[in-house]
Amino acid sequence: MAKSVAPFTWVNGFRQPSSERSWESEDRYQTESDEAAHYTLPPSLEPLTTNVYNSMGLNVLRTWPTLYDGTNSPNALPKWWKPSEEVDVLICGAGPCGLEVALSLLRQGVSFRIIDKADAPLIAGRGDGLQPRFLESLHALGLAQEAHEEGPLCESSFVYKDGKKLYQDRAFQSDSRYRGVHIITQGQLERIYVRDLYRHQVLVERSTTLQDLQVESDPSVSHPVRATIMSRKTGREENIQAKFLVGSDGASSALRKRLQIPFDGTTTDIFWAIIDCVFETDFPYPNIFGLMINSEHGGCVIVPREDGYLRIYTQIDAKTAQAFADKRQAKDNSFLDNGGRVDIPFITPEEALEQTNRIFAPYTWKFAAPLSWFAVWRINERVARTFSTPDMRVHLAGDAAHVHSAMGAFGLNASMLDATNLAWKIGMCAKDRAKVSSLMPTYDLERRLQAERIIRVSGIYFRFVCSSRFPLAQFQDQAEKAKDNAEDLPARDGTVEGDQRFLGAFYAKYSQFLVGVDVKYEPSVVNPSPRVAAATINDTKKRNRSSITTPITVLNGVRAPNPRICFTNDTTGYLYDKMTLSGSSRFHVLIFGSDMQGPVRERVRKFSQALGGASASNNFYNKFGGPATFNVLLILKALPFETAELLEGDDLRPLRDVATVLYDDRAPDEDAHYWYGVNHGRGAIVVIRPDLWIGTSVFPEEVKQLDEYFSGFLNPVFEDVDVQNGPQLLDVKQNMTGKCEGEVFDTPPMPESAEAEKNVVEKMLDLTDHRAPVAV
């Protein structure tokens, strides 16, 4: 949202401009007898969106402090607001990253408090594009539809250099339901998040900072993080005890500095002047995402936004800035600063627009409205040397952990995927369902390497747009993995043909990375390396079949594909629709059963039998929490009316009792079995992590391997099996070394009937499910 919402009317059934701000009309708050409504109009403010303005005037954005400003609300705080001094997680920083961590913890039933030094959410500027992968993560929280409808979808793009067209085509698209990059202002995204927190009786504690931090080393302490926070408004200090702390306090992170974590990387010699405004121009493609490059003057990026606004990134280097400073000095000596030093941030919007016109020549741009936002940023490419403290209790995320150029819209999106990756891991450990020492190190392993890859890819793209030879950032470790074979790209020789070769190769290699779906995590306990091939067999065809030791062709550690699927006779959708809103820390176990006839039926039957029988309590499903931990989906090449016959029999009853059946009724060249690369004779079981990345896969009969996989990082709910008295539930206590200690709860013997088994499962949920509303 670039400016205050204009008044509209829907009197004719569709939105039309109106001259009346009818939400303010007294008639809306009184009855026909002048009796006042109980609901009253809350106070609103219209702050400036930028402290820099052009000749067209000032721009404001209406905001509602009682709704968005958390503890800074001008009204009395709600009676239900009673924050505890002991919580599972303390979040320092309420930008999009910290807010998404909060939303995920909320849905997991994990208690938290979230503080921020700012007085209110961001008004304008900063991040402006959502990649499809981030929207898929947001879909899991139930908020994707609200976010992706805020602004336009980037559907086309162009690249021009020195007046020559290098590229013009459809913008990069993915197989995601969200296709390409969607435009939304960061402030509007924050307001979506804040409204969600408010619905769940959580407030952001505004104007509040972290003053002191200590972490107890005694593994018996349940809440080892000891933090002192202070309200800048009241001066009141408060001591908080938590199990974990998340630092999402921005690029100048006070927490990162407090922890003395180096911020490795480089500071380039290039600045971006960023202008959000409505423009008048004779350029033929003003509403298409594009790059305009001028070998002499630099590069520009155009991002079409909502309501006719554009964002223009214009390259400013030291030479250009000095020329502007000299020009100012000739007009007004007051612009001279110490020793004639050029202070880049004091470039004016008019000077930035002048530079834009040099780059776009012979086309011209003029301001057609007041500025919505203006800033000048120097491009830094940096990654924190570690995202986590050695004790795994304090973690950095978002800009506190990495910064890079705007190319690719990675700033906002990478931060969001940090939050997605971190939140489910912290949630499971905070609820003692996972081993801190095994699970939490995977956050740094996965996200820090990804940040280094982002900096390298974004840096290559950025240097091409800016015609820069500035060296790429280098990091202390993992450099070989992070560079991602960038040297395979054609050399930039300065010719049109050379530039086209370079750009074509870059887009071919990184197009899916630029929309966020090409994100592969390194092997770890949560996505192990694939198994080695089977022994050689003489017959080639048999050898090819027997050497298939991975049940699916999709790799571990990559995004889980999201094909269309049938739910019932009357409804279809996407696979993710049955993998979301089911708790942000549940694993999704996909059972690909083909048509449940022939050899695949016997293999699936073995899986079903492992869920029942005398040893049922010791299989992975019951051992690690049953439906509180696992969402089981049985995907069949069948239709709904065929299900009862295909799944009949006592041998499949355990599977019927725990699985949701989905129908893979599309053609063989577009169905889910094809997307995942499943052998129809052998079937497959795929474990998808709570953040919708592939964890591992096994064949249906290999239930023991699932137990081994989950034993690597989850704590068991069942300690062992007592044949006479049934299983015993553990109240697991997790210490820093990952060892489990606990008190034993009595549970009934293993059930002999479906109804008795249902009662046991319900008791397991009562003891293990922490999804009750959070009291913070």
Side-chain angles (χ1 to χ4, degrees), residues 328-434:
R328 282 194 226 117
Q329 180 183 352
K331 294 181 179 179
D332 185 352
N333 287 335
S334 65
F335 277 102
L336 271 177
D337 54 4
N338 297 332
R341 177 177 57 88
V342 175
D343 192 354
I344 295 288
F346 287 112
I347 290 175
T348 68
E350 287 75 16
E351 290 169 340
L353 188 62
E354 183 181 335
Q355 175 70 354
T356 302
N357 282 316
R358 288 197 186 102
I359 294 171
F360 269 87
Y363 303 108
T364 60
W365 295 79
K366 298 178 182 178
F367 292 127
L371 288 173
S372 174
W373 188 61
F374 177 79
V376 180
W377 286 352
R378 188 171 189 175
I379 305 303
N380 280 280
E381 299 170 326
R382 296 189 177 276
V383 177
R385 191 168 298 176
T386 179
F387 286 11
S388 307
T389 55
D391 54 21
M392 295 295 136
R393 294 291 172 171
V394 182
H395 305 273
L396 301 176
D399 287 352
H402 47 80
V403 293
H404 26 73
S405 84
M407 296 304 300
F410 286 113
L412 178 60
N413 290 276
S415 297
M416 296 298 93
L417 294 184
D418 286 351
T420 302
N421 187 289
L422 178 61
W424 74 268
K425 296 172 181 178
I426 279 189
M428 297 201 81
C429 289
K431 292 161 64 176
D432 298 324
R433 290 168 58 192

Side-chain angles (χ1 to χ4, degrees), residues 131-133 135-140 144-145 148 153 173-180 182 517 559 561-564 567 572-580 675 692:
Q131 296 171 343
R133 184 52 175 170
L135 284 167
E136 289 177 341
S137 299
L138 205 56
H139 177 76
Q145 184 170 348
H148 85 79
L153 169 67
Q173 304 286 298
S174 68
D175 64 22
S176 167
R177 71 198 303 169
Y178 300 108
R179 304 304 180 195
H182 293 254
V517 297
R559 165 186 175 263
N562 185 27
R564 289 184 178 271
F567 304 145
T572 64
Y574 288 88
L575 182 59
Y576 281 8
D577 293 338
K578 293 297 181 180
M579 297 163 58
T580 55
W675 279 45
L692 304 180

Side-chain angles (χ1 to χ4, degrees), residues 500-618:
Q500 288 176 329
R501 284 193 299 271
F502 174 87
L503 201 61
F506 180 85
Y507 285 163
K509 186 169 187 176
Y510 294 117
S511 64
Q512 296 306 291
F513 186 75
L514 293 171
V515 292
V517 297
D518 177 13
V519 179
K520 185 179 187 303
Y521 291 146
E522 290 296 305
S524 71
V525 67
V526 288
N527 29 262
S529 299
R531 289 169 284 174
V532 297
T536 301
I537 298 177
N538 290 331
D539 183 80
T540 301
K541 291 184 178 179
K542 289 184 178 180
R543 182 171 68 246
N544 290 341
R545 290 196 297 269
S546 67
S547 64
I548 300 174
T549 57
T550 54
I552 61 174
T553 56
V554 185
L555 300 173
N556 294 349
V558 304
R559 165 186 175 263
N562 185 27
R564 289 184 178 271
I565 204 84
C566 174
F567 304 145
T568 69
N569 281 330
D570 303 317
T571 57
T572 64
Y574 288 88
L575 182 59
Y576 281 8
D577 293 338
K578 293 297 181 180
M579 297 163 58
T580 55
L581 299 179
S582 58
S584 297
S585 60
R586 287 219 292 174
F587 287 86
H588 310 284
V589 181
L590 311 186
I591 305 168
F592 286 91
S594 188
D595 61 0
M596 281 299 290
Q597 300 183 68
V600 72
R601 180 184 177 86
E602 174 62 20
R603 294 170 186 266
V604 174
R605 185 186 67 81
K606 291 180 180 179
F607 176 82
S608 179
Q609 286 183 317
L611 295 180
S615 61
S617 64
N618 211 27

Side-chain angles (χ1 to χ4, degrees), residues 197-473:
L197 290 180
Y198 203 179
R199 289 193 290 268
H200 293 86
Q201 297 185 318
V202 176
L203 299 179
V204 176
E205 299 177 54
R206 295 287 179 187
S207 310
T208 301
T209 56
L210 179 69
Q211 296 296 299
D212 190 39
L213 173 65
Q214 303 291 330
V215 180
E216 294 286 341
S217 59
D218 184 352
S220 66
V221 176
S222 63
H223 293 68
V225 176
R226 307 297 167 86
T228 301
I229 63 174
M230 185 186 75
S231 168
R232 195 175 68 251
K233 295 282 188 179
T234 65
R236 178 174 176 266
E237 290 191 347
E238 191 175 356
N239 295 317
I240 308 296
Q241 296 183 30
K243 295 178 181 178
F244 298 95
L245 186 147
V246 175
S248 51
D249 54 340
S252 58
S253 171
L255 179 62
R256 186 187 67 239
K257 295 171 184 175
R258 179 186 294 273
L259 296 172
Q260 298 183 336
I261 296 176
F263 211 24
D264 297 329
T266 188
T267 299
T268 73
D269 59 355
I270 296 173
F271 298 76
W272 283 119
I274 310 169
I275 314 171
D276 287 355
C277 198
V278 178
F279 296 91
E280 178 186 331
T281 180
D282 57 356
F283 181 66
Y285 311 114
N287 296 311
I288 297 177
F289 172 83
L291 313 176
M292 179 65 77
I293 307 169
N294 184 295
S295 297
E296 180 180 358
H297 298 295
C300 278
V301 181
I302 301 178
V303 181
R305 289 186 43 196
E306 72 286 358
D307 300 324
Y309 278 76
L310 297 177
R311 169 168 291 185
I312 297 182
Y313 293 86
T314 296
Q315 179 184 348
I316 306 289
D317 57 26
K319 180 180 178 181
T320 303
Q322 184 63 59
F324 284 137
D326 293 343
K327 190 174 180 179
R328 282 194 226 117
Q329 180 183 352
K331 294 181 179 179
D332 185 352
N333 287 335
S334 65
F335 277 102
L336 271 177
D337 54 4
N338 297 332
R341 177 177 57 88
V342 175
D343 192 354
I344 295 288
F346 287 112
I347 290 175
T348 68
E350 287 75 16
E351 290 169 340
L353 188 62
E354 183 181 335
Q355 175 70 354
T356 302
N357 282 316
R358 288 197 186 102
I359 294 171
F360 269 87
Y363 303 108
T364 60
W365 295 79
K366 298 178 182 178
F367 292 127
L371 288 173
S372 174
W373 188 61
F374 177 79
V376 180
W377 286 352
R378 188 171 189 175
I379 305 303
N380 280 280
E381 299 170 326
R382 296 189 177 276
V383 177
R385 191 168 298 176
T386 179
F387 286 11
S388 307
T389 55
D391 54 21
M392 295 295 136
R393 294 291 172 171
V394 182
H395 305 273
L396 301 176
D399 287 352
H402 47 80
V403 293
H404 26 73
S405 84
M407 296 304 300
F410 286 113
L412 178 60
N413 290 276
S415 297
M416 296 298 93
L417 294 184
D418 286 351
T420 302
N421 187 289
L422 178 61
W424 74 268
K425 296 172 181 178
I426 279 189
M428 297 201 81
C429 289
K431 292 161 64 176
D432 298 324
R433 290 168 58 192
K435 304 169 186 177
V436 174
S437 61
S438 299
L439 185 57
M440 292 314 305
T442 65
Y443 168 64
D444 174 84
L445 172 66
E446 293 180 343
R447 293 308 302 168
R448 183 158 57 93
L449 184 59
Q450 181 66 10
E452 293 178 4
R453 186 185 180 201
I454 286 170
I455 284 181
R456 189 160 188 95
V457 174
S458 177
I460 294 169
Y461 200 13
F462 159 71
R463 284 159 176 77
F464 174 77
V465 174
C466 296
S467 302
S468 172
R469 300 289 179 177
F470 196 91
L472 289 168

